[in-house]
Every structure is written in structure tokens, then in C-alpha cells.
Amino acid sequence: MRGAGQNFGIVTKFRYKIFDYPNGQNIFYAMFHFAEDKIGALFEHLNGLLNNGTLPKDVNAYVVLRSKPLISPKAIFVYHFYYFGTGQQAAPYVRPIMDLGPISSSTASFPYKEVSHRSFQASVGDPTCAAGTSTKDRYPVGLQIYNVSTNRKIYDLFEDMVTTFPALNTSFVQFEAFPMQAVKAVNPESTAYAHRHDDILVAFSTQYLQSAANAAAATKYGRRARQIFVEGAHPMRLNAYSNYASGDETLEQIYGYESWRLEKLKWLKRKWDPEGRFRFFNPITDY
């Protein structure tokens, strides 16, 4: 069940190992807004921070491209920086970000369990997670490094989308990076997850009220963005995170290009779910 998506059942009970949290269970959080002219400096900074998959374990660097008209008439990059410690401990990481010249910035400290709500309004009970509010599609690509030229093209594509189709103006582009040391310490042949060599997850994420016209536009832009990300990737190959996958990817793109991996998953699927009851989200086999 580690990496095979929703193919083998529903977890109804689990045992979780927990640890004492440092800094009184609080994290340090900073948010920075960057304009279009900072694309190069911002992503060069992030590549240096990620340092080939060695982002420090106490740091999380998450960037979102989105429209925020109260801050800028054009789309901006919102850099969410998290440090699992105090603001004083985070200072060596925060100063280089400030040196990039953000439009604005803010900082806060709050309990870890409030991260989703306080920084993204994306916790249980928030509009982002409410059922039936809008259609949300994602077009993910796994990367090893940010390509600045690619991200400029993505910016232009996003601006064109929200300008041409205002109904899609709550859409966004995710640039996610997390510490990967523990992920890469796992033998890639021991679990179903195939993309352990990727250090970055990007996703062109469309969001809109359901209609045929909106869906067609969102699909067109989402697929074009995905193509742009892949064309700028090294190697030039689509690795799609299964929980974000849009559904039009191949099984190899979602579950791995190694033939043995996919054959094993199909065999396990036939053994444990012969009637295909769990087949509604990126199924491994067709029924």
C-alpha cells in the first residue's frame, strides 16, 4: 500500500509512532510575495537551498503561483517557508530570501497541527477542502531541479489562462519541495512508489465551477503546462505523483517505468482485488 494509490483498499485503522516535538510544538512560518521579475533569482535560490535533494530536514520550501489582485495586478509567486524550530534558528535561511526583494513578507509562529489552516486555509472545515465547491484538476510532474526558463514559460501560460478565462482565476501552480533524505534511504525495490529520485513535485492545478467550457479550457492549459514541465526536465520524462495524477497518464508514468514493478502490482491486484472493487482512481488494471 506504500505507493500504489487507492488500488488495494481503505485504511480503517492504523498504529502510528509519534515523537516529542521541539520548540513547544510550534513552527516558524514566513510568507513572501514575489513579482514576475524575480523568477530567475527565486528559483536559483531554491535550487541552491534544495542542493540536489539535501534540503535540511527542518526546512520546507513551498511556492505557489497564483492571482492575488489585492497585492499585484499580475500573478505572483507566494513562497511559504517553514522551519521546524524558532525564528532565531530560521534566520540564516530567511535572510537570503529577504535579500531577493519580495513585494511583501510576514512571519508567524504557531502549532504544527495548525499549519494547513494558518498558511493555506486548507484544513478540515476550510473552503479548499469542502465538497462540491469547485472542480479541482492537477497535472503533476516530478523533477530533480527547477528549470528557470521552463518556469518563465509556465508563468506566461498561467497569465494567459487567467486573463483569457477569468472563470479559472482561482487556479494555481504548485512548486513543492520537502526534505528527501528519509525517502531516499528506502530501498526503491521494497515499495510500490517508483519516483524516489525526484526531489521536486510541480503541479499545474486548475480550479473552476463545473461547465463544459471551463473543463475544456482547464484541460487544454493543464496538459500544455505538463508538456512544458516535461520538456524542461532532465531526464525528459513524465513522472506523475499518483495522488495528483489527472487520469490521462499511462500506468508507467504513474507507477514506474520498470516492467517488473508494474507486473508485480498487476499480479497483486489480481490476487487481492480480483473483482476490481477499488478501481475508481488511477486503477492499476482494467476490469
Side-chain angles (χ1 to χ4, degrees):
M1 298 187 67
R2 298 171 65 187
Q6 289 75 37
N7 277 278
F8 289 96
I10 299 171
V11 175
T12 59
K13 183 178 181 181
F14 62 91
R15 181 177 295 176
Y16 198 76
K17 186 176 182 180
I18 62 174
F19 301 87
D20 290 334
Y21 196 82
N23 189 33
Q25 300 186 3
N26 286 336
I27 71 160
F28 172 81
Y29 168 69
M31 180 171 63
F32 309 89
H33 297 114
F34 287 98
E36 172 190 9
D37 63 344
K38 300 295 184 179
I39 292 177
L42 174 60
F43 285 99
E44 287 170 2
H45 154 78
L46 287 165
N47 279 335
L49 181 64
L50 299 180
N51 192 25
N52 297 317
T54 60
L55 182 69
K57 65 180 180 63
D58 294 322
V59 174
N60 186 353
Y62 188 101
V63 175
V64 180
L65 171 62
R66 68 188 325 150
S67 296
K68 296 194 77 171
L70 293 180
I71 297 176
S72 171
K74 297 187 69 175
I76 61 173
F77 293 92
V78 185
Y79 185 170
H80 300 271
F81 175 87
Y82 305 86
Y83 187 84
F84 295 83
T86 66
Q88 183 177 4
Q89 292 169 325
Y93 298 101
V94 173
R95 280 194 293 270
I97 305 174
M98 289 299 298
D99 289 343
L100 298 177
I103 298 172
S104 61
S105 63
S106 60
T107 62
S109 180
F110 44 75
Y112 173 75
K113 65 182 181 180
E114 297 180 10
V115 166
S116 293
H117 171 68
R118 296 283 293 273
S119 58
F120 280 104
Q121 294 291 298
S123 187
V124 175
D126 288 329
T128 303
C129 297
T133 54
S134 62
T135 297
K136 304 174 180 69
D137 299 324
R138 281 172 170 75
Y139 295 84
V141 180
L143 304 173
Q144 296 182 24
I145 192 171
Y146 286 122
N147 184 320
V148 173
S149 297
T150 293
N151 291 351
R152 292 186 189 278
K153 294 177 183 177
I154 291 294
Y155 181 91
D156 292 340
L157 183 72
F158 182 84
E159 265 291 300
D160 180 67
M161 181 184 73
V162 297
T163 302
T164 308
F165 296 93
L168 275 63
N169 64 7
T170 60
S171 302
F172 49 94
V173 186
Q174 299 162 261
F175 301 85
E176 303 183 13
F178 305 94
M180 297 295 292
Q181 292 86 334
V183 173
K184 295 187 176 184
V186 175
N187 183 347
E189 297 184 7
S190 66
T191 75
Y193 187 66
H195 306 313
R196 293 184 183 275
H197 55 284
D198 290 337
D199 299 323
I200 297 164
L201 175 61
V202 295
F204 197 92
S205 304
T206 57
Q207 187 167 276
Y208 52 92
L209 294 178
Q210 184 59 48
S211 76
N214 289 345
T219 299
K220 181 185 76 171
Y221 281 96
R223 290 178 175 174
R224 177 56 185 148
R226 183 174 60 191
Q227 180 183 356
I228 291 172
F229 275 126
V230 171
E231 289 174 350
H234 302 284
M236 192 184 299
R237 186 173 72 179
L238 173 55
N239 296 336
Y241 176 46
S242 62
N243 285 349
Y244 282 9
S246 64
D248 64 343
E249 300 91 348
T250 67
L251 291 178
E252 289 79 9
Q253 290 167 343
I254 299 174
Y255 297 111
Y257 291 88
E258 307 96 330
S259 59
W260 66 265
R261 185 186 300 279
L262 197 52
E263 288 305 313
K264 184 173 182 177
L265 283 172
K266 289 180 177 180
W267 177 80
L268 289 168
K269 181 68 171 176
R270 290 191 295 268
K271 178 180 179 180
W272 293 105
D273 187 17
E275 298 181 12
R277 295 186 181 277
F278 297 94
R279 65 182 186 276
F280 301 106
F281 188 77
N282 299 319
I284 291 172
T285 54
D286 295 324
Y287 293 89

